[in-house]
Amino acid sequence: MKILVLENDPKELAIIQQAFNDGKTSLIPIASSELAWPYIQSGEARFVIANWDTSDVRHSQFILRARAIKLSHPLYILLTMEKVTDDDQTPSGADDIIQRPFRAKDLKNRIGMAERIISLASNLAVARDQLEHQAVFDSLTGFLNRTAFFKQAMGELERARRTSMPVSLIALDVDNFKAINDSLGMEVGNQVLHTVAQSIREKSRPYDCIGRWAGDEFVLMLSGVIGTDAEKVTERIITGVRSSRIVVQKDTPLNVKVSAGIASVARISTSVEIEPLIQQALQAMKRAKEAGGDQIFLIYM
């Protein structure tokens, strides 16, 4: 761990250095608080020890500024003070304050407590990010989940409405997926979904809105694409899936096929909404499956 130290007194700095003789911590003495920002903003240093009385942290409003910016990691601030009181002169926003003079042993105990707090805060931040990721993305395919896709597609539709751009919504479904799952097991079923997702990702544009709608159903929102152009995109995806081979233990490689439905709108009027557009694409997909599967059905709205 790297710790920034704003301490101008060589004797005080020597005491601080005595508390870190384990080789696990790197002290970085700096002359002013302005020099701390590159370390803090990059996440290289997440711990600051500063002399409140002799450094510039008070006049530069370092603590206030540090708490005002949004950091991806927690920042721990330990102040050393000649006199700690309960009056208005006591700085607010610091995580801990230790009164000088202090022994290296006392500081080391404070550092140990700070490290535990930093570790706990980091673990909480990681857990929060994981929960936020789970709330938006499907864990198997990495695509937007149903709720997140609906929300993002609604925004794409509004942008298309403002700019008078066409929109196509594609729904894809794996043919005979239930039979594959029942006969070969969920692990093979997951491989099938992963293969389809990979083909969708490779054959679509990086900025296209893609989601896993339900089970083996996928949806794509293509802004600025209509009719035959949407069919070409869909055909590339289907061909990519069709040419894939999924190895099944003690069995011949599995050939996967996909059916697709497309709902295209040349101009987004005030009456066009995202939910009916999705439902039309799903209905078109069902018609493709009813016609034998492994094909595309296109409708204009």
Side-chain angles (χ1 to χ4, degrees):
M1 183 174 65
K2 293 183 178 180
I3 299 179
L4 304 178
V5 182
L6 283 85
E7 178 56 73
N8 299 321
D9 188 329
K11 293 182 179 180
E12 296 291 342
L13 180 59
I15 295 174
I16 294 174
Q17 290 173 329
Q18 288 178 29
F20 300 98
N21 55 6
D22 55 4
K24 298 178 181 179
T25 305
S26 174
L27 293 185
I28 305 175
I30 53 177
S32 71
S33 58
E34 285 303 317
L35 298 176
W37 294 114
Y39 293 98
I40 293 171
Q41 292 173 331
S42 67
E44 188 176 354
R46 297 163 54 186
F47 194 170
V48 176
I49 300 175
N51 188 316
W52 178 254
D53 303 303
T54 63
S55 73
D56 69 340
V57 292
R58 183 190 311 196
H59 302 295
S60 67
Q61 296 186 316
F62 172 77
I63 299 176
L64 182 64
R65 292 167 61 192
R67 298 312 183 204
I69 62 176
K70 186 176 181 181
L71 298 172
S72 60
H73 49 273
L75 176 66
Y76 195 94
I77 300 175
L78 170 62
L79 298 179
T80 69
M81 296 180 65
E82 185 175 355
K83 186 178 181 181
V84 180
T85 63
D86 294 329
D87 58 25
D88 294 337
Q89 299 302 313
T90 301
S92 61
D95 294 285
D96 195 8
I97 299 174
I98 185 170
Q99 184 170 330
R100 298 191 310 275
F102 52 79
R103 297 176 301 171
K105 180 181 179 181
D106 296 331
L107 179 61
K108 191 170 185 177
N109 290 336
R110 298 290 187 95
I111 298 301
M113 180 180 68
E115 288 176 337
R116 289 192 292 272
I117 292 174
I118 291 172
S119 177
L120 176 60
S122 297
N123 291 338
L124 289 174
V126 170
R128 183 185 65 246
D129 290 342
Q130 289 175 342
L131 288 173
E132 290 176 353
H133 188 276
Q134 291 171 4
V136 175
F137 297 100
D138 171 62
S139 59
L140 178 62
T141 64
F143 291 158
L144 295 170
N145 62 28
R146 182 170 182 154
T147 302
F149 174 85
F150 190 91
K151 183 176 180 179
Q152 184 166 326
M154 190 160 50
E156 292 290 332
L157 187 67
E158 290 305 315
R159 277 190 287 274
R161 201 192 311 275
R162 290 195 302 270
T163 56
S164 300
M165 291 180 62
V167 161
S168 290
L169 202 142
I170 304 171
L172 301 106
D173 182 85
V174 180
D175 293 337
N176 304 316
F177 183 72
K178 186 178 185 303
I180 293 172
N181 248 349
D182 291 344
S183 61
L184 300 175
M186 187 176 296
E187 184 176 345
V188 174
N190 287 342
Q191 290 182 48
V192 169
L193 295 177
H194 187 269
T195 298
V196 174
Q198 184 176 3
S199 180
I200 293 173
R201 188 179 291 107
E202 290 175 350
K203 308 303 180 182
S204 58
R205 300 171 298 186
Y207 52 86
D208 286 332
C209 179
I210 308 173
R212 183 181 179 188
W213 189 248
D216 59 322
E217 294 177 350
F218 298 88
V219 282
L220 293 83
M221 181 81 160
L222 305 182
S223 299
V225 180
I226 189 171
T228 55
D229 289 334
E231 280 187 297
K232 291 176 183 177
V233 174
T234 309
E235 184 59 43
R236 288 199 297 268
I237 294 171
I238 291 178
T239 301
V241 174
R242 193 185 296 138
S243 61
S244 300
R245 296 291 182 270
I246 297 175
V247 178
V248 181
Q249 190 175 11
K250 298 180 182 180
D251 207 338
T252 57
L254 182 64
N255 295 320
V256 181
K257 297 180 180 180
V258 175
S259 296
I262 306 172
S264 274
V265 187
R267 185 178 177 84
I268 310 300
S269 65
T270 55
S271 62
V272 177
E273 299 296 340
I274 189 61
E275 187 168 0
L277 186 62
I278 293 173
Q279 292 304 319
Q280 286 293 330
L282 291 171
Q283 287 298 320
M285 179 194 69
K286 289 180 181 178
R287 294 185 66 173
K289 292 179 78 69
E290 291 168 357
D294 192 30
Q295 58 186 283
I296 304 168
F297 192 89
L298 167 65
I299 63 171
Y300 289 92
M301 294 178 62

